[in-house]
Amino acid sequence: MSVNIKSQCPMIKEKELSAKSLAQEASALINDGQVKKLNAMWLEVTGCSGNIISFFNSENPGLDYILKQLVNLTYNNTLMTSEGEFAFETFLDTLNTEFILLLDGAVSTKENGAYNIVANYNGKSITALEAVKMAGEKAKYVLAVGTCASNGGISAAKPNPSLSKSAADVLSREVIKLPGCPCHPDWVVGTIAHLAAFGMPKLDSEGRPILFYGSTIHDNCTRRGYFDRGIFAKKFGEDGCMFKLGCRGPVTKTDCPRRKWNGYVNWPVQDNTNCIGCASSRFPDGMEPFIRQSRE
């Protein structure tokens, strides 16, 4: 069931929607029986597990609220209490329900995916490639969580010995991309809440929710005033725009300057380092070198 967000949230302007407000609206609709609480599977494949760790750090709302109020998380490589074949049976059972697939990490495709085994079932090795296709073909929605799942990322960086690919490159269907290395928990929670209560959010040309990826870091950077006045830092630690030190904020779309990280207390530029463009579709190869010396 899809609900029109404007009719259900008349007091909340779209630009003001946050992960918390979306989660509260979704929870209310679920509790009222207006929408169905969906199952969700979080599948960790060829990556570093940084996105699930970031998700665990969600504060607004917290993990407990997410798991109890928003979705039924049936399967996750890290959180599962069951192991081995029992865990994979839960994976298989979920395929016969209405569910959201959250994919964390790129998908290794070399030798039919043999470089990444996620389960052993009935004496057969289940590759990440096989599991992703099994779930991706049946999921109501597919979320690529993080840059590796969204665009290949570090897992697919040169020379890419595992022939890792993005979710969209191995699935013949629409994939909602949530790039970031790691993905901010709010981007995940807000998107899940939107899907649960209101259906598909508005996406940009790259498949990213405009709600979180609608403007560049440069647009809202706390050092934007320096750029406008032509004041550029010549070395790290100096006041000034860090564009000449290699900042990729002008070509990277996220709301990091406003949302911040680690409990909303800080973000890279505020901590005197430049943006390296980790949420860009060209990261990491196309964003290198991450840092350069100012020549002025």
Side-chain angles (χ1 to χ4, degrees):
M1 177 178 179
S2 179
V3 180
N4 189 304
I5 188 171
K6 292 184 178 179
S7 64
Q8 292 294 330
C9 309
M11 300 304 293
I12 304 176
K13 297 179 181 178
E14 185 172 354
K15 67 179 181 179
E16 296 172 347
L17 287 173
S18 65
K20 182 177 181 179
S21 63
L22 280 166
Q24 290 174 337
E25 290 287 339
S27 178
L29 291 171
I30 291 170
N31 291 334
D32 289 343
Q34 296 186 51
V35 296
K36 182 181 178 181
K37 189 176 183 181
L38 296 175
N39 289 331
M41 290 200 295
W42 185 302
L43 182 59
E44 299 173 53
V45 289
T46 315
C48 67
S49 296
N51 293 295
I52 191 65
I53 294 172
S54 178
F55 182 66
F56 290 166
N57 288 328
S58 179
E59 295 186 16
N60 199 24
L63 185 63
D64 183 69
Y65 183 96
I66 298 164
L67 298 181
K68 290 182 178 179
Q69 300 294 327
L70 284 184
V71 292
N72 298 312
L73 186 63
T74 62
Y75 180 91
N76 171 257
N77 314 47
T78 300
L79 283 177
M80 294 290 291
T81 55
S82 56
E83 298 178 353
E85 293 197 356
F86 294 106
F88 195 68
E89 284 177 357
T90 301
F91 175 93
L92 295 174
D93 290 341
T94 304
L95 298 182
N96 298 317
T97 70
E98 191 174 50
F99 69 97
I100 300 172
L101 171 64
L102 298 106
L103 183 61
D104 179 356
V107 186
S108 171
T109 64
K110 189 169 185 178
E111 296 182 17
N112 293 319
Y115 278 42
N116 187 357
I117 306 298
V118 297
N120 287 283
Y121 188 70
N122 289 338
K124 179 181 181 297
S125 295
I126 308 298
T127 67
L129 177 61
E130 184 177 1
V132 169
K133 287 185 175 181
M134 291 169 65
E137 290 173 357
K138 292 191 173 184
K140 183 173 184 178
Y141 305 107
V142 176
L143 272 64
V145 182
T147 297
C148 287
S150 296
N151 303 303
I154 291 175
S155 297
K158 294 178 181 179
N160 193 8
S162 62
L163 296 182
S164 288
K165 298 181 179 180
S166 70
D169 286 335
V170 298
L171 294 174
S172 299
R173 60 164 299 162
E174 183 175 39
V175 174
I176 303 171
K177 297 181 180 180
L178 303 175
C181 193
C183 182
H184 197 292
D186 282 10
W187 304 340
V188 183
V189 177
T191 303
I192 291 174
H194 202 293
L195 292 172
F198 316 118
M200 286 288 291
K202 187 175 181 180
L203 307 178
D204 67 10
S205 60
E206 293 188 17
R208 303 170 297 190
I210 292 176
L211 180 62
F212 304 116
Y213 299 88
S215 58
T216 67
I217 285 177
H218 185 65
D219 289 336
N220 298 290
C221 183
T222 50
R223 296 196 182 204
R224 177 58 187 264
Y226 288 123
F227 175 86
D228 292 340
R229 288 177 286 159
I231 301 173
F232 296 93
K234 296 181 176 61
K235 61 182 179 180
F236 290 98
E238 286 187 352
D239 290 337
C241 172
M242 288 191 278
F243 177 72
K244 294 185 178 181
L245 295 175
C247 185
R248 297 296 188 267
V251 295
T252 304
K253 286 190 173 183
T254 71
D255 58 9
C256 292
R258 291 177 295 169
R259 192 170 301 277
K260 300 186 179 182
W261 292 77
N262 300 323
Y264 315 104
V265 300
N266 206 346
W267 72 290
V269 171
Q270 185 177 330
D271 200 39
N272 286 313
T273 187
N274 58 302
C275 167
I276 61 173
C278 75
S280 168
S281 60
R282 298 170 55 222
F283 179 84
D285 295 338
M287 294 291 104
E288 294 179 336
F290 298 138
I291 295 171
R292 61 174 178 255
Q293 294 296 321
S294 173
R295 298 184 183 224
E296 294 184 9

